[in-house]
Amino acid sequence: MGYRGRFAPSPTGPLHAGSLVAALASWLDARAHSGTWLVRIEDVDAPRCIAGMGDHILSQLAALGLASDEVPLVQSQRANVYQQTLQTLIAKGDAYPCQCSRKDILTALEALGRERPRHAELVYPGTCRSRTEKSSGVADSPQPAWRFRIDKTDTLVRWQDRRLGSQQQDVEKLVGDFPLRRADGYATYQLAVVVDDAAQGITHIVRGEDLADNTARQILLQQALNLPTPSYLHTPLVLGANGEKLSKQNGALALETSNPLAELNKAVVALGLHPRVDAPVGVALAAWVQEWQHLYNPAHD
Ligand code: GLU
């Protein structure tokens, strides 16, 4: 199968200098492989998304010369597909209902003598693991969340990142059984992203390094669903003045799409490529594709 890559923004705010780095890197990688580049609007977490922001991001991308090769997939229209996949996992015994609140999880961790991590998500201690679908389901109130049951035999996941090198994560230890569907009925990012990457035939994932930590969970889900694992490349993050990932909260300014070359130049510098002065955008993009090819050597992927 030919190369298929994607940029998958969540429409919680406009594209900024940080997210443009991931967008541009995924576009350059697709072009360097003579592949297809898709944009997917990840508005599955509806309460966090802003109406109309998906279209706004698409127009920002287009203004920078980055247009999706196919009609963008919109996750909010795919709730049925996520639900069907959840049913498949339930039928295989790979998912179970959970009604633990955050407080319940904290109490259980305390009882086990495990420290509460300061920043990371809570490691789910498996409280509801022994429940079966019969003991919960529709009659339960409130609706349960559904968690992925991590198979004890393969909790250490290893993968090769094209930029970061060999990676591994013990998902059982560092994350625990993770949510597939939330109690409010929305599919989680982990479930939706795995379902959609497979549905769209994505062969190469290029995204920000802040998402690298999710990769092991996604590989476990791909394996449970008999789906192929794409190749991964996590791009450098652009940091704000406070040293944290650039976001609206720490000073990311809206992109100046009236000056696309200036914005693209900032993004390529973050990627270790050379800025171009006074070149038409199309010429600059073509030059960066060549440079990217050299840097990440797609001929040998
Ligand atoms: N929607 C995710 C985000 O904007 C990215 C998902 C992905 O690339 O896997 O953070």
Side-chain angles (χ1 to χ4, degrees):
M1 187 172 41
Y3 179 113
R4 287 172 70 82
R6 64 11 171 229
F7 172 55
S10 302
T12 53
L15 201 65
H16 55 71
S19 37
L20 177 58
V21 171
L24 180 61
S26 64
W27 185 90
L28 290 172
D29 199 48
R31 288 293 174 265
H33 284 84
S34 308
T36 303
W37 184 70
L38 309 177
V39 180
R40 181 168 72 225
I41 301 300
E42 298 214 321
D43 55 353
V44 70
D45 186 356
R48 284 187 57 232
C49 294
I50 299 172
M53 194 51 77
D55 285 340
H56 180 65
I57 292 174
L58 291 172
S59 64
Q60 286 182 295
L61 288 167
L64 295 163
L66 313 176
S68 182
D69 291 329
E70 293 177 9
V71 177
L73 200 74
V74 178
Q75 289 193 323
S76 56
Q77 296 167 2
R78 293 174 53 76
N80 288 345
V81 186
Y82 308 138
Q83 186 57 31
Q84 276 161 21
T85 309
L86 176 63
Q87 293 303 338
T88 305
L89 291 167
I90 295 171
K92 290 174 69 224
D94 287 337
Y96 63 85
C98 170
Q99 266 164 337
C100 293
S101 63
R102 194 175 159 80
K103 190 158 167 276
D104 295 334
I105 298 173
L106 280 169
T107 311
L109 287 173
E110 245 169 61
L112 292 166
R114 294 204 214 151
E115 271 189 36
R116 178 186 176 170
R118 265 172 57 75
H119 295 298
E121 292 165 51
L122 298 178
V123 177
Y124 185 64
T127 317
C128 292
R129 253 192 188 195
S130 53
R131 292 180 72 174
T132 62
E133 194 187 354
K134 284 192 206 80
S135 70
S136 174
V138 274
D140 275 12
S141 168
Q143 278 284 306
W146 286 83
R147 289 183 182 271
F148 181 66
R149 184 191 305 276
I150 296 166
D151 183 343
K152 282 228 161 64
T153 56
D154 60 5
T155 71
L156 185 70
V157 180
R158 296 171 207 272
W159 76 97
Q160 196 62 28
D161 186 279
R162 288 169 55 208
R163 176 176 153 260
L164 302 172
S166 288
Q167 304 288 303
Q168 63 174 51
Q169 184 183 71
D170 188 330
V171 186
E172 168 100 43
K173 250 209 205 111
L174 292 174
V175 181
D177 293 343
F178 54 89
L180 298 169
R181 199 189 74 172
R182 307 186 327 197
D184 60 12
Y186 291 109
T188 60
Y189 158 63
Q190 309 295 351
L191 178 64
V193 83
V194 166
V195 168
D196 288 344
D197 282 334
Q200 296 192 286
I202 300 300
T203 57
H204 290 69
I205 291 179
V206 177
R207 61 184 178 190
E209 196 175 324
D210 55 319
L211 293 162
D213 179 69
N214 296 284
T215 309
R217 269 169 276 180
Q218 292 168 14
I219 291 174
L220 284 182
L221 264 180
Q222 289 153 3
Q223 290 171 348
L225 291 163
N226 283 321
L227 299 172
T229 290
S231 125
Y232 288 95
L233 189 163
H234 288 91
T235 59
L237 297 183
V238 179
L239 303 182
N242 61 358
E244 288 183 5
K245 182 196 159 197
L246 194 64
S247 66
K248 260 189 310 189
Q249 288 70 32
N250 65 9
L253 299 176
L255 287 181
E256 251 332 309
T257 44
S258 57
N259 190 355
L261 189 64
E263 294 297 350
L264 291 166
N265 269 332
K266 281 187 250 164
V268 292
V269 168
L271 289 169
L273 308 177
H274 295 93
R276 308 272 145 171
V277 192
D278 282 342
V281 168
V283 172
L285 285 169
W288 290 324
V289 170
Q290 296 297 320
E291 239 191 298
W292 179 271
Q293 204 145 9
H294 196 65
L295 209 61
Y296 290 103
N297 210 3
H300 299 108
D301 280 353

